[in-house]
């Protein structure tokens, strides 16, 4: 079977899906959702994430450390959701798995009813009383929010431009180019393909672990690496983390290409296993959470929601393309060529970050916009 449906000895089908999508084992029948279901699920799963990132940026109008922590939390929650699916899907049948996954959005919906609107949004819409109430809900009843509220209100009183004019500003176009570039490399460096091959690689490595256990281990490694990234991102910086991430992914995909091309019958399955772990750690340290953080940092407040949605939408479109084409390319040109392509994208990602991505660590949103504007002119 192809990587999107790898069978174990008992005839079960293991469907592995990353980036907010589902993972389950079905020991009765093979469910192939197909690209249509994949793209619909991607839209449903990722757009709330984009809304979260944008809302986090608007709510945390001040506080650089809080900004990175909360936006990093967005991706961490996705990772925990994947791990939840890995664990539940490994031990229950498909029907109960779907119920377990459906419960969480219902809980989310009920809790969201009690959440206040973003204070930045309320202030910009001319509702200072509601904005103050929202701020005090977030900061605490006794918090002094006067200065912050004044800043938000001043932002809302600025002269508004048309959407087209706002999007066509040089600084906005540059932010879009950088953000979409990060989203492109996040998907095109091969995260879905690596995840799809996880069970197969563990088996080839001679692991005595059950496929479901090995997949859960991958989910745990991903979660730990993401937590580490969130904790160190303000100390090390976004650019360094992204470069380290691209380097680790490049090394691992190169090892995978060599393994599938020359070493599959050489009894060194542990090498491929090591490559998977390196890739997952590298991706989770940088290219997993950082593009979502930078997406909200590269745009001004008046265009953040629209531009962020455009960048986020391109992410799931790229993910859909990889998900759709990888099995086809794997059958036609082989795994070696596929992982060589991913290696090429990792090298391109490293160069892209090195020469084009600005470091936003420790900078306010206004300082980031000024830096982008200087380079854009």
């Amino acid at each position: 079977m192809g990587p999107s449906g790898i069978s174990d000895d008992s005839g079960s089908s293991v469907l592995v899906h990353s980036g907010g999508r589902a993972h389950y084992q079905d020991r009765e029948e093979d469910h192939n959702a197909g690209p249509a279901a994949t793209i619909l699920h991607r839209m449903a799963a990722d757009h709330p994430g984009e809304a979260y990132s944008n809302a986090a940026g608007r709510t945390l109008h001040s506080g650089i450390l809080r900004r990175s922590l909360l936006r990093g939390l967005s991706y961490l929650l996705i990772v925990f959701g994947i791990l939840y699916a890995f664990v539940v899907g490994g031990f229950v049948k498909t029907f109960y798995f779907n119920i377990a996954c459906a419960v969480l959005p219902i809980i989310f919906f009920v809790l969201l009813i009690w959440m206040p609107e973003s204070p930045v949004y309320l202030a910009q819409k001319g509702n200072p009383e509601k904005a103050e109430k929202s701020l005090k809900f977030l900061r605490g009843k006794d918090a002094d929010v006067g200065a912050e509220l004044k800043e938000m209100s001043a932002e809302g009183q600025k002269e508004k431009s048309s959407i087209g004019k706002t999007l066509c500003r040089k600084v906005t176009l540059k932010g879009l180019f950088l953000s979409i570039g990060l989203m492109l490399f996040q998907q095109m460096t091969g995260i879905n393909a690596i995840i799809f091959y996880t069970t197969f690689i563990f088996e080839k490595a001679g692991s005595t672990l059950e496929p479901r256990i090995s997949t859960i281990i991958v989910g745990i490694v991903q979660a730990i690496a993401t937590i580490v990234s969130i904790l160190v991102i303000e100390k090390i910086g976004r650019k360094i983390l992204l470069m380290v991430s691209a380097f680790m992914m490049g090394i691992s995909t190169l090892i995978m290409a060599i393994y599938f091309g020359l070493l599959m019958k050489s009894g060194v399955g542990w090498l491929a296993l090591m490559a998977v772990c390196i890739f997952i750690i590298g991706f989770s340290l940088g290219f997993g959470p950082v593009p979502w953080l930078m997406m909200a940092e590269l745009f001004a407040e008046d265009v953040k929601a629209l531009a962020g949605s455009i960048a986020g939408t391109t992410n799931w479109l790229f993910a859909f393309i990889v998900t759709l084409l990888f099995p086809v390319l794997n059958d036609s040109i082989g795994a070696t060529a596929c992982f060589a392509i991913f290696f090429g994208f990792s090298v391109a990602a490293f160069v892209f970050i090195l020469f084009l991505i600005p470091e936003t660590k420790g900078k306010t949103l206004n300082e980031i916009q000024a830096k982008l504007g200087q380079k854009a002119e």
Side-chain angles (χ1 to χ4, degrees), residues 54 167 172 175-176 179-180 295 299-300 303-312:
N54 287 328
L167 278 178
T172 303
L176 271 173
S179 188
I180 291 174
M295 179 188 75
F299 303 116
V303 75
K304 190 186 297 290
L306 179 59
S309 296
I310 292 172

Side-chain angles (χ1 to χ4, degrees), residues 107-117 134 137-138:
I107 295 174
F108 174 79
F109 174 79
V110 173
L111 293 178
L112 194 64
I113 294 174
W114 305 101
M115 289 297 294
E117 182 57 85
S134 178
F137 175 87
L138 296 167

Side-chain angles (χ1 to χ4, degrees), residues 232-245:
V232 303
I233 193 168
E234 282 301 332
K235 296 179 181 179
I236 297 177
R238 287 84 159 132
K239 188 166 184 173
I240 295 296
L241 280 178
L242 285 170
M243 290 174 66
V244 169
S245 179

Side-chain angles (χ1 to χ4, degrees), residues 123-124 148-159:
Q124 291 182 355
E148 196 172 354
L149 184 62
K150 186 177 180 180
E151 183 182 354
M152 292 178 183
S153 298
E155 185 73 25
Q157 291 172 2
K158 290 182 179 179
E159 184 178 351

Side-chain angles (χ1 to χ4, degrees), residues 15-345:
L15 176 62
V16 185
H17 223 11
S18 70
R21 286 160 282 172
H23 157 85
Y24 60 88
Q25 287 184 320
D26 180 14
R27 298 189 175 275
E28 295 178 351
E29 56 185 9
D30 181 9
H31 293 269
N32 186 359
T38 298
I39 194 168
L40 288 174
H41 197 291
R42 185 72 178 181
M43 290 172 67
D46 280 4
H47 277 297
E50 296 157 26
Y52 176 94
S53 294
N54 287 328
R58 298 171 74 88
T59 300
L60 294 184
H61 195 67
S62 62
I64 295 169
L65 180 59
R66 288 180 297 174
R67 185 180 76 206
S68 62
L69 285 175
L70 192 55
R71 286 175 187 150
L73 180 62
S74 171
Y75 181 75
L76 181 61
L77 292 175
I78 292 175
V79 170
F80 279 143
I82 296 170
L83 180 58
Y84 171 81
F86 284 177
V87 173
V88 175
F91 295 94
V92 302
K93 293 183 178 180
T94 306
F95 177 75
Y96 298 106
F97 170 79
N98 287 327
I99 291 177
C101 288
V103 167
L104 298 181
I106 294 173
I107 295 174
F108 174 79
F109 174 79
V110 173
L111 293 178
L112 194 64
I113 294 174
W114 305 101
M115 289 297 294
E117 182 57 85
S118 160
V120 174
Y121 173 81
L122 292 171
Q124 291 182 355
K125 291 298 181 181
N127 294 313
E129 296 83 6
K130 291 184 178 179
E132 183 178 4
K133 185 178 179 181
S134 178
L135 263 178
K136 288 190 174 182
F137 175 87
L138 296 167
R139 305 284 190 259
K141 291 183 179 180
D142 299 325
D144 183 8
V145 298
E148 196 172 354
L149 184 62
K150 186 177 180 180
E151 183 182 354
M152 292 178 183
S153 298
E155 185 73 25
Q157 291 172 2
K158 290 182 179 179
E159 184 178 351
K160 302 295 181 183
S161 302
S162 65
I163 293 177
K165 194 173 182 179
T166 303
L167 278 178
C168 289
R169 289 195 306 238
K170 287 184 178 181
V171 66
T172 303
L173 290 175
K174 179 156 190 182
L176 271 173
F177 170 74
L178 295 176
S179 188
I180 291 174
L182 288 174
M183 296 302 180
L184 168 70
F185 289 119
Q186 184 189 67
Q187 296 299 331
M188 295 300 182
T189 45
I191 179 61
N192 287 318
I194 290 288
I195 292 293
F196 286 160
Y197 259 107
T198 298
T199 301
F200 174 75
I201 292 168
F202 269 80
E203 290 175 347
K204 286 295 181 181
S207 173
T208 57
L209 294 174
E210 293 183 55
R212 59 183 177 180
I213 300 300
S214 65
T215 308
I216 290 171
I217 290 173
V218 168
I220 293 172
V221 170
Q222 188 176 16
I224 293 173
T226 301
I227 292 172
V228 171
S229 174
I230 293 172
L231 293 176
V232 303
I233 193 168
E234 282 301 332
K235 296 179 181 179
I236 297 177
R238 287 84 159 132
K239 188 166 184 173
I240 295 296
L241 280 178
L242 285 170
M243 290 174 66
V244 169
S245 179
F247 178 80
M248 292 178 69
M249 291 190 296
I251 291 294
S252 61
T253 48
L254 179 61
I255 292 173
M256 294 289 288
I258 294 172
Y259 172 77
F260 281 108
L262 303 173
L263 303 176
M264 273 194 72
K265 298 180 181 180
S266 302
V268 290
W270 58 267
L271 187 64
L273 190 59
M274 179 185 70
V276 170
C277 293
I278 292 174
F279 188 96
I280 294 297
I281 293 172
F283 179 83
S284 301
L285 282 175
F287 263 95
V290 175
W292 297 106
L293 168 59
M294 296 200 70
M295 179 188 75
E297 291 182 329
L298 293 173
F299 303 116
E301 289 293 337
D302 61 344
V303 75
K304 190 186 297 290
L306 179 59
S309 296
I310 292 172
T313 299
T314 60
N315 179 277
W316 61 257
L317 284 174
F318 292 140
F320 173 64
I321 291 170
V322 174
T323 303
L324 181 67
L325 294 183
F326 177 71
V328 177
L329 291 175
N330 182 60
D331 290 338
S332 60
I333 64 178
T336 301
C338 286
F339 283 104
I341 292 172
F342 294 140
F343 168 71
F345 272 109

